[in-house]
C-alpha cells in the first residue's frame, strides 16, 4: 500500500482564547491551507476531532459548521471522539482513506475549548474530563484523571524506584522546551526545586506535574503518496497503529506498562519496517509527568524502569540521545483535548521539514507520536519520516 504524506500543517497558540470554537479552528485550518499551498475547494474530505463539544459548547453537530466556516461546504465530514486521542484517531482514518484511494486530499484537525472561557469553571471541567473514565466503576468513586495517572505512576515507583525528583525533571525539561515554542500555553521555565515545592494534587503529583486545561486548534493536510510530490516538502506517514485496553484500572494486569501503547507502537513500527531504536525524537502524551515516563518505556525509547533516570540524566532532552516532547508536550504546550493529536503531527512535520524555529532538532529523519485517551485505554502511535 502506498504511504500517505503530510503536506501542510498549522495550529493556533494553545492557551486561553475568547473566540468561538469555529473561529478558533478556522485560524488553524486557514494557516494549514496556506502552508500546503491549496485552497479549500481542493479538499476532498474533512476528518476532525472534538471530544467534549456536546458538554462544553452545547453543540453536537460541529462537522458541517466547521466545514462551511472554512469554505468547505459540501465535502464529506467525519467527527471523531476518542477522549484525548480524538484527533489522532481522525488522522489515522484520514491516512487510511488516502492510502485506500478513497480520497486524494484530506483536511484533518481538532479543536477544543477547555478553559473558563467556555463558561465552565475548573471543577466542572474536571467532571467533564472524568466522563472518559469508567461510568460504573470509577466515576461514582470520584476518580478523576490526576488520580488515574497518579495510580499508574505510584505503581511504577513501586516496581522501578521512580522518584518525585524524576518527575520534576520531566517538568523542567518540558517547560524549557515550551519556552522555545511560540504556540505553547506556558513559556515560563522552571526548576527542580520549584517543581518539588508545589502543592500536592494527587500523590505523587504536584502542581508542576500536571498539564493545563487549554483552548486551541490544530490541522494538517494529508494526501496520497502519488500526489505528494506535487507539494513542497512532504513528510511521509510510514506507520500508524491503534490499540485499546480494558477501561477499569482494577482490571488491567499491569497498569503501569500502558499495554495499548505497546500494542499500537508494535503495529506502527511493523508498518514502517523500523524499530524504536531508529526513532530520532518523539512527541508523547504527557498529561502528567509520570505519563511521559510510562510512554517513553512503552514506545521502547528507553528500557523498562529507565524513563525516570533518562529524564534526570538528560537523555530525553532536546540535545540528548532521544529528545522527547521538543514542543513542550501537553505539560507546557497545553492540552486542548480534541486538538492535541494533530498538534503532535504538526510538531513532527515541522522538525522533519526543518521549520521548527528555535526548538529545531538537528539532523532528524524520523519521529514517533504517541497519544492516549482515557484510562490509557486508547492509544494511537504514528511514525513519520522526512521524504528523501
Amino acid at each position: 500500500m502506498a504511504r500517505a504524506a503530510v503536506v501542510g500543517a498549522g495550529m493556533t497558540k494553545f492557551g486561553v482564547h475568547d473566540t468561538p470554537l469555529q473561529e478558533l479552528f478556522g485560524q488553524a485550518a486557514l494557516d494549514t491551507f496556506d502552508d500546503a499551498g491549496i485552497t479549500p475547494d481542493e479538499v476532498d474530505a474533512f476528518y476532525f476531532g472534538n471530544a467534549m463539544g456536546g458538554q462544553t459548547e452545547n453543540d453536537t453537530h460541529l462537522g458541517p459548521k466547521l466545514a462551511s466556516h472554512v469554505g468547505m461546504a459540501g465535502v464529506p465530514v467525519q467527527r471523531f471522539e476518542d477522549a484525548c486521542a480524538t484527533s489522532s484517531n481522525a488522522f489515522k482514518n484520514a491516512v487510511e482513506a488516502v492510502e485506500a484511494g478513497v480520497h486524494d486530499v484530506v483536511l484533518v484537525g481538532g479543536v477544543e475549548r477547555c478553559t473558563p472561557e467556555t463558561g465552565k469553571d475548573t471543577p466542572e471541567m474536571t467532571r467533564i474530563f472524568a466522563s472518559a473514565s469508567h461510568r460504573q466503576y470509577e466515576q461514582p468513586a470520584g476518580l478523576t484523571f490526576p488520580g488515574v495517572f497518579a495510580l499508574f505512576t505510584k505503581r511504577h515507583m513501586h516496581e522501578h524506584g521512580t522518584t518525585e525528583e524524576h518527575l520534576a525533571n520531566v517538568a523542567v525539561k518540558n517547560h524549557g522546551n515550551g519556552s522555545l515554542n511560540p504556540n505553547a500555553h506556558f513559556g515560563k521555565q522552571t526548576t527542580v526545586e520549584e517543581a518539588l515545592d508545589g502543592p500536592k494534587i494527587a500523590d505523587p503529583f504536584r502542581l508542576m506535574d500536571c498539564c493545563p486545561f487549554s483552548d486551541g486548534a490544530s490541522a494538517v493536510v494529508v494526501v496520497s503518496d502519488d500526489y505528494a510530490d506535487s507539494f513542497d516538502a512532504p513528510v511521509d506517514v510510514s506507520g500508524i497503529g491503534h490499540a485499546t485496553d480494558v477501561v477499569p484500572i482494577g482490571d488491567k494486569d499491569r497498569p503501569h506498562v500502558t499495554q495499548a501503547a505497546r500494542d499500537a507502537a508494535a503495529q506502527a513500527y511493523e508498518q514502517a519496517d523500523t524499530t524504536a531504536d531508529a526513532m530520532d525524537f518523539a512527541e508523547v502524551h504527557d498529561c502528567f509527568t509520570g505519563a511521559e515516563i510510562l510512554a517513553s518505556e512503552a514506545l521502547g525509547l528507553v528500557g523498562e524502569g529507565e524513563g525516570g533516570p533518562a529524564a534526570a540524566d538528560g537523555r530525553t532532552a532536546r540535545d540528548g540521545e532521544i529528545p522527547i516532547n521538543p514542543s513542550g508536550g501537553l505539560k507546557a504546550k497545553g492540552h486542548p483535548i480534541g486538538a492535541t493529536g494533530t498538534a503532535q503531527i504538526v510538531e513532527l512535520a515541522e522538525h522533519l521539514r526543518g521549520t521548527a524555529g528555535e526548538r529545531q532538532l538537528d539532523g532528524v529523519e524520523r519521529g514517533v507520536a504517541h497519544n492516549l485517551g482515557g484510562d490509557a485505554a486508547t492509544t494511537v502511535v504514528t511514525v513519520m519520516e522526512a521524504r528523501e
Side-chain angles (χ1 to χ4, degrees), residues 40-46 75-76 102-107:
D41 59 5
E42 295 177 74
V43 174
D44 298 330
F46 174 31
V75 303
V102 177
H103 302 299
D104 285 324
V105 182
V106 180
L107 177 69

Side-chain angles (χ1 to χ4, degrees), residues 83-131:
C84 304
T86 285
S87 57
S88 297
N89 205 355
F91 180 74
K92 172 183 179 286
N93 278 268
V95 167
E96 291 174 344
V98 300
E99 285 182 335
V102 177
H103 302 299
D104 285 324
V105 182
V106 180
L107 177 69
V108 190
V111 62
E112 208 86 58
R113 297 197 310 159
C114 303
T115 70
E117 290 297 327
T118 62
K120 307 287 194 299
D121 59 14
T122 297
E124 176 64 5
M125 287 305 304
T126 301
R127 183 198 65 77
I128 292 172
F129 270 55
S131 66

Side-chain angles (χ1 to χ4, degrees), residues 329-349:
L330 283 63
K331 178 68 202 72
K333 180 181 63 181
H335 186 28
I337 309 301
T340 287
T342 39
Q344 291 181 327
I345 302 303
V346 170
E347 186 72 11
L348 261 61

Side-chain angles (χ1 to χ4, degrees), residues 17-167:
H17 291 272
D18 60 3
T19 53
L21 193 79
Q22 68 270 21
E23 293 184 19
L24 191 59
F25 181 75
Q27 293 174 29
L30 295 178
D31 285 348
T32 303
F33 292 147
D34 287 345
D35 186 53
I38 65 171
T39 57
D41 59 5
E42 295 177 74
V43 174
D44 298 330
F46 174 31
Y47 289 22
F48 87 101
N50 176 266
M52 303 184 303
Q55 298 184 72
T56 59
E57 308 282 344
N58 196 35
D59 198 337
T60 57
H61 197 203
L62 285 166
K65 178 178 179 178
L66 297 186
S68 61
H69 187 73
V70 297
M72 297 191 306
V75 303
V77 182
Q78 179 65 55
R79 172 181 175 265
F80 291 81
E81 180 281 303
D82 221 350
C84 304
T86 285
S87 57
S88 297
N89 205 355
F91 180 74
K92 172 183 179 286
N93 278 268
V95 167
E96 291 174 344
V98 300
E99 285 182 335
V102 177
H103 302 299
D104 285 324
V105 182
V106 180
L107 177 69
V108 190
V111 62
E112 208 86 58
R113 297 197 310 159
C114 303
T115 70
E117 290 297 327
T118 62
K120 307 287 194 299
D121 59 14
T122 297
E124 176 64 5
M125 287 305 304
T126 301
R127 183 198 65 77
I128 292 172
F129 270 55
S131 66
S133 61
H134 198 285
R135 178 68 186 90
Q136 284 73 39
Y137 299 155
E138 294 169 352
Q139 292 180 36
L143 185 61
T144 60
F145 283 108
V148 168
F149 284 89
L151 289 170
F152 293 166
T153 303
K154 288 290 280 188
R155 186 65 191 181
H156 194 274
M157 290 175 152
H158 173 76
E159 295 286 344
H160 299 297
T162 304
T163 67
E164 290 191 27
E165 286 77 8
H166 291 150
L167 303 180

Side-chain angles (χ1 to χ4, degrees), residues 133-293:
S133 61
H134 198 285
R135 178 68 186 90
Q136 284 73 39
Y137 299 155
E138 294 169 352
Q139 292 180 36
L143 185 61
T144 60
F145 283 108
V148 168
F149 284 89
L151 289 170
F152 293 166
T153 303
K154 288 290 280 188
R155 186 65 191 181
H156 194 274
M157 290 175 152
H158 173 76
E159 295 286 344
H160 299 297
T162 304
T163 67
E164 290 191 27
E165 286 77 8
H166 291 150
L167 303 180
N169 274 279
V170 174
V172 169
K173 171 182 68 71
N174 289 351
H175 275 268
N177 293 346
S179 71
L180 302 176
N181 185 350
N183 287 322
H185 193 153
F186 295 138
K188 179 183 177 182
Q189 299 190 40
T190 190
T191 66
V192 170
E193 292 73 23
E194 288 175 338
L196 290 174
D197 192 44
K200 276 284 178 74
I201 304 300
D203 187 33
F205 297 146
R206 298 178 183 273
L207 182 63
M208 295 301 290
D209 292 305
C210 308
C211 77
F213 292 155
S214 308
D215 306 327
S218 60
V220 295
V221 172
V222 177
V223 303
S224 59
D225 180 70
D226 291 341
Y227 202 42
D229 285 333
S230 62
F231 292 86
D232 293 334
V235 179
D236 287 330
V237 182
S238 51
I240 189 162
H242 178 200
T244 60
D245 195 3
V246 294
V247 174
I249 295 173
D251 288 351
K252 297 179 189 292
D253 290 336
R254 301 173 67 211
H256 65 288
V257 306
T258 53
Q259 187 60 45
R262 293 164 189 257
D263 294 342
Q267 295 171 24
Y269 294 149
E270 181 177 6
Q271 283 183 23
D273 192 23
T274 190
T275 65
D277 291 340
M279 298 301 106
D280 294 321
F281 70 109
E283 280 287 309
V284 308
H285 185 106
D286 62 323
C287 49
F288 303 93
T289 52
E292 176 174 310
I293 289 172

